[in-house]
Amino acid sequence: MAAVLSITLLYLPGYSPNLNLIERLWRFLKRKSVYGKYYPNFATFRAAIKDTLSELNTTHAEPLAALMALQFQEFEDVSLLTE
């Protein structure tokens, strides 16, 4: 079905947070709104997260575009066993 829809499937290792785009977004979000900051209550913490999310397409668009790029190194028919 993927071939019919012109979708290329990329098989990732079982645990690969650096290759998972949502993990990259979460790391970026934490860096911008959580690291090194104190929030006196959950409401201000939540507001900081919401503010960062609302600025993804404006203030943070350029650094986020570079971070979210699919830059994978692909190998064709590589045998892991040497004979």
Side-chain angles (χ1 to χ4, degrees):
M1 185 57 138
V4 171
L5 297 173
S6 299
I7 297 173
T8 303
L9 298 177
L10 297 175
Y11 296 97
L12 302 177
Y15 180 73
S16 54
N18 291 335
L19 301 177
N20 189 339
L21 294 180
I22 195 65
E23 293 289 344
R24 292 182 193 181
L25 176 62
W26 176 236
R27 185 174 55 231
F28 178 84
L29 183 65
K30 287 191 301 185
R31 197 175 300 134
K32 292 296 180 186
S33 56
V34 178
Y35 288 172
K37 296 179 176 75
Y38 169 75
Y39 298 104
N41 55 46
F42 184 71
T44 55
F45 170 76
R46 186 175 174 180
I49 297 288
K50 284 179 131 180
D51 289 344
T52 304
L53 285 172
S54 69
E55 296 172 347
L56 289 181
N57 290 331
T58 56
T59 306
H60 304 302
E62 188 176 329
L64 195 60
L67 183 66
M68 300 302 277
L70 292 174
Q71 298 174 352
F72 298 115
Q73 183 177 5
E74 296 181 31
F75 300 96
E76 297 292 329
D77 300 324
V78 175
S79 174
L80 296 177
L81 300 175
T82 57
E83 296 179 21

